[in-house]
Amino acid sequence: MTTKTLLLAALLAGVALPASVLAQDFNPDASIRIGSLYEPQNLDNTAGAGQGINEAFNGNVYEALFQLTDAGSVEPKLVESYEASEDGLTYTFTLKDGVTFHSGDPLTAADVKYSIERVTSEASKSSRKRSLSTITGIETPDDKTVVITLSARSISLPYNLSYVWIVNDAATDITATEDGTGPYSLSEWRRGSALALERNDSYWGEAPTNAEVVYTYFTDATALNNALLTNAVDVITSVQSPDSLAQFAGNPAFTVTEGASTTKELLAYNDRVAPFDNVKVRKALARATDKARLLNSIWGDYGTLIGSFVPPTDPWYVDLTGVDAYDVESAKALLAEAGYPDGFEFTLDTPDYDPHPIVAQFLQSEYAKIGVKVNINIITANEWYTKIYQEKNFEATLQEHVNHRDIVFYGNPDFYWGYNNPDVVKLVADAESAGSEAEQVEKLTEANKIIAEDAAGNWLYLYPQIVVSAANVTGYPINGLNSQFFAYDIQKSE
Amino acid sequence: MSTTTMTAPADKKSHSLALKAGVVLVGVHIAIGLLTLVWLPYDPTAMAGGRLEGPSLLHWLGTDRLGRDLFTQMMIGSRIALIVGVGAVTIGAVIGVTLGLLAAFASKWLDDALAATLDILIAFPTLLIAMLVVAASDTANLWSAIFALGIALSAIVARLTRILAKRVLVMDYITAARTSGSGWPKIVAIHILPNIWPTLSVNFALQFGLAVIAEASLSYLGLGAPPPNASWGRILQEAQGTVYTAPLGAIAPGIALVSLAIGVNLLADGLRDTIDPTRRAR
């Protein structure tokens, strides 16, 4: 537990954990074996490869102009310096010197242009395509300079560029091979089982503290846990339930760390339809939900209550758990005020995988106390996508929202939950065209408070991000934002 | 020869023992199922205890993740299993016997067509057909699961009925009845059903066990009765993630399921030995 507290403290202070605090000696030629449930379908993050490719490649094999750090800040990576024009529509980036791809080609402005266009192209399946849609032109006046012009101000441009891998423009078929600038290069990919990275000895930056990283893929969480127990892997990237931790917690051979994920368990109402168009009804349901008890049921002592859609790693986080706190009596009073003194009945479309069915039963039991009857309708993930996300044909649903910095969804009245508050729409739009990061943070913090006051959704809890490792392995990322798992600081003592 | 005479009485004894065991196992489940109609230790949806409490005087089998009493859930599971078994077998019997008799009486081409259709249906596992039927219906609930299992079982019943009825239909006394002017409803009621009933009823008992297991499988896959209906399959599924810390959540529905299925099978075996005249003669 002390390790956990220490790591949490480090997280809260927003600093990277100095690996030397935990391990004095390490083997610089160690091989780090990482166990994961997320095997990439291919090696290209613009070709529907899944989150596993971000886990294995982001920051390890490929680098971007900027990097989203594990603490949630955006820092220059391949960019030496950059400046925005007065009107915020032109960004000029100067690239770092001495950066070469694994193939030996030097990094040039043309590679950057090629890489961005790869993401924004017609064929790209990147989930980040839309956020880069304001880019109207990319100029390369010389080998070290990239000029991006925008159709509208976009304060998030550096952040959005942190998702864009810089790929050698001469590389072909990067769905099965790679040519990046990162501290590791791909040494072997055995489809269906493992992906091995080896240290890039001509890396431009600081050398990794290990020689090799092997991602081994499992389809079953129990098998993954057993692999760590039997020393077949050194680290598990994300633990899915607190109960499998019983095998590791309290055992000095293992370290359990809890970081802050960005995955939010959400009871989403269809705010377009009665009675959920009534803010009093939404607030009543929020107050009738004992979230602390729910979180304990699902995650035991892990996880966080946030009171809104914003996790602590987003810059516009504020603790809003005090808004519409658990209070059954005031929930009843609000329902009566809203014109439902005897409650009402609604259907809760519940995805069929854990933890949603159990969360649904919890809510059913809680809301019965204020006279609200919940009918649970179990649906598959595909049904959720078509019926709810596309057709918006539902009353209420449960979903885990994994994205980082996704409060902007509340600024889109056409989003599946149909929340439409002109103030929030304006704040989200203004935040994007803000002149400074401080202004962006101020506006989105304001939006965050408004959605909480409006009880736009019922944010039940934030999932924990739990990493378990052998005790002799340290230095891995604890938050795993955007599924990233930077391997270059991992140290292993023998 | 001497071994045969030696083992025969022992066999008979073990058979009657099996029957008794079957009656007891099934009887316990029926008693619990009936008891749930009038009394339960806790409200099944009430979160009466803490998370994953172990067995105690308050909670005999402990609690689940939401703090609900597991013993209460298990009792309701018995009731649901019995409802599913009876419901599915009844639907399967009505549809199956009707179709089987129809095929037995039908003209050759209709009989062939029905027989081929039944063979195709039986080629699919019961669970798969049931899953298809559930998937085709809009919402998954207990009744759609029962209906789906009934449909799936009816093919097996129909084929058995057809064969048994055909065997009876060629008997001399049927020809006699026909020549004396009996219509087919009378032939079915007086001659065929009483003749094939013993074999069918043994088969129904076996199908009952099949239906209970299949419903648990459907619920396990999320296609059975929606929560909070405490089907054993659902309890098992929800306990899967906590099997290391609270193994009772998975063990209890497993034992319940196995005990009812074995009980029904023993009962069916025993029934066959008492009812079936050829076996009784041995």
Side-chain angles (χ1 to χ4, degrees), chain A residues 266-283 285 340 344 346-347 388 392-397 409-422 424 450-459:
Chain A
L266 170 65
L267 165 62
Y269 317 114
N270 190 344
D271 293 0
R272 298 172 193 86
V273 303
F276 301 116
D277 54 350
N278 187 332
V279 61
K280 284 180 178 161
V281 170
R282 301 196 302 253
K283 286 174 92 71
L285 291 185
Y340 297 94
F344 59 94
F346 72 93
T347 298
I388 289 160
K392 305 172 178 84
N393 171 23
F394 71 107
E395 289 185 291
T397 187
F409 293 156
Y410 283 95
N412 175 6
D414 294 328
F415 204 62
Y416 79 87
W417 52 52
Y419 172 71
N420 189 358
N421 181 334
V424 173
I450 296 176
I451 62 166
E453 277 301 335
D454 272 354
N458 197 346
W459 306 280

Side-chain angles (χ1 to χ4, degrees), chain A residues 322-401:
Chain A
V323 181
D324 294 322
Y326 183 53
D327 182 349
V328 178
E329 287 314 309
S330 80
K332 281 184 190 159
L334 267 179
L335 264 193
E337 266 180 57
Y340 297 94
D342 303 321
F344 59 94
E345 186 173 343
F346 72 93
T347 298
L348 179 61
D349 286 316
T350 306
D352 58 2
Y353 50 91
D354 209 55
H356 303 305
I358 198 108
V359 172
Q361 291 174 66
F362 178 88
L363 297 176
Q364 190 177 46
S365 170
E366 285 285 88
Y367 295 164
K369 293 175 194 160
I370 56 165
V372 173
K373 182 164 190 276
V374 179
N375 299 311
I376 299 173
N377 179 37
I378 301 283
I379 56 174
T380 64
N382 277 335
E383 280 174 291
W384 190 90
Y385 185 73
T386 50
K387 180 175 186 270
I388 289 160
Y389 192 77
Q390 292 187 314
E391 293 165 15
K392 305 172 178 84
N393 171 23
F394 71 107
E395 289 185 291
T397 187
L398 289 169
Q399 185 55 258
E400 81 280 17
H401 278 269

Side-chain angles (χ1 to χ4, degrees), chain A residues 138-181:
Chain A
I138 306 170
E139 302 296 320
T140 54
D142 64 60
D143 268 2
K144 286 280 161 269
T145 310
V146 180
V147 180
I148 294 181
T149 47
L150 304 172
S151 58
R153 294 177 74 107
S154 175
I155 188 76
S156 314
L157 183 68
Y159 170 75
N160 290 329
L161 286 173
S162 75
Y163 289 87
V164 179
W165 289 353
I166 301 305
V167 178
N168 187 357
D169 61 359
T172 52
D173 189 26
I174 71 156
T175 55
T177 59
E178 58 86 11
D179 197 5
T181 58

Side-chain angles (χ1 to χ4, degrees), chain A residues 73-304:
Chain A
S73 60
V74 177
E75 288 169 6
K77 192 77 185 180
L78 293 177
V79 161
E80 184 64 50
S81 64
Y82 74 103
E83 58 182 37
S85 64
E86 195 69 19
D87 60 4
L89 296 179
T90 310
Y91 279 77
T92 307
F93 300 93
T94 308
L95 303 180
K96 276 210 166 80
D97 279 323
V99 178
T100 56
F101 288 100
H102 299 148
S103 59
D105 274 10
L107 170 72
T108 66
D111 297 311
V112 174
K113 179 176 159 71
Y114 168 80
S115 300
I116 296 172
E117 286 172 348
R118 224 171 59 82
V119 173
T120 56
S121 80
E122 205 62 26
S124 157
K125 289 181 193 154
S126 168
S127 58
R128 292 285 147 180
K129 205 167 152 178
R130 203 165 148 260
S131 57
L132 293 169
S133 61
T134 49
I135 296 180
T136 50
I138 306 170
E139 302 296 320
T140 54
D142 64 60
D143 268 2
K144 286 280 161 269
T145 310
V146 180
V147 180
I148 294 181
T149 47
L150 304 172
S151 58
R153 294 177 74 107
S154 175
I155 188 76
S156 314
L157 183 68
Y159 170 75
N160 290 329
L161 286 173
S162 75
Y163 289 87
V164 179
W165 289 353
I166 301 305
V167 178
N168 187 357
D169 61 359
T172 52
D173 189 26
I174 71 156
T175 55
T177 59
E178 58 86 11
D179 197 5
T181 58
Y184 297 93
S185 61
L186 176 70
S187 62
E188 192 187 5
W189 180 33
R190 274 175 287 138
R191 281 179 204 242
S193 68
L195 200 150
L197 311 178
E198 64 185 359
R199 180 163 59 201
N200 168 16
D201 288 324
S202 51
Y203 182 55
W204 60 271
E206 204 178 313
T209 51
N210 50 63
E212 185 190 42
V213 180
V214 181
Y215 285 84
T216 308
Y217 297 105
F218 295 80
T219 51
D220 178 70
T222 309
L224 178 57
N225 294 338
N226 288 341
L228 181 58
L229 281 174
T230 56
N231 192 27
V233 298
D234 298 313
V235 189
I236 300 182
T237 57
S238 70
V239 172
Q240 300 301 310
S241 92
D243 301 288
S244 54
L245 285 171
Q247 303 162 87
F248 305 111
N251 183 337
F254 300 101
T255 312
V256 177
T257 62
E258 178 183 2
S261 79
T262 54
T263 305
K264 301 153 288 273
E265 181 74 5
L266 170 65
L267 165 62
Y269 317 114
N270 190 344
D271 293 0
R272 298 172 193 86
V273 303
F276 301 116
D277 54 350
N278 187 332
V279 61
K280 284 180 178 161
V281 170
R282 301 196 302 253
K283 286 174 92 71
L285 291 185
R287 291 179 191 185
T289 317
D290 187 351
K291 294 169 188 165
R293 171 150 196 176
L294 173 64
L295 179 62
N296 178 262
S297 292
I298 307 295
W299 277 105
D301 297 331
Y302 298 91
T304 318

Side-chain angles (χ1 to χ4, degrees), chain B residues 25 78 83 132 145 165 186 190 208 212 216 223 225 231 245 248 278:
Chain B
L25 284 176
S78 283
I83 293 175
L132 288 174
K186 202 175 171 190
I190 294 182
F208 184 99
V212 169
L223 294 170
S231 158
T245 38
L248 259 184
T278 56

Side-chain angles (χ1 to χ4, degrees), chain A residues 479-490:
Chain A
N479 293 329
L481 299 183
N482 182 28
S483 310
Q484 299 178 123
F485 203 82
F486 307 133
Y488 40 76
D489 287 334
I490 301 181

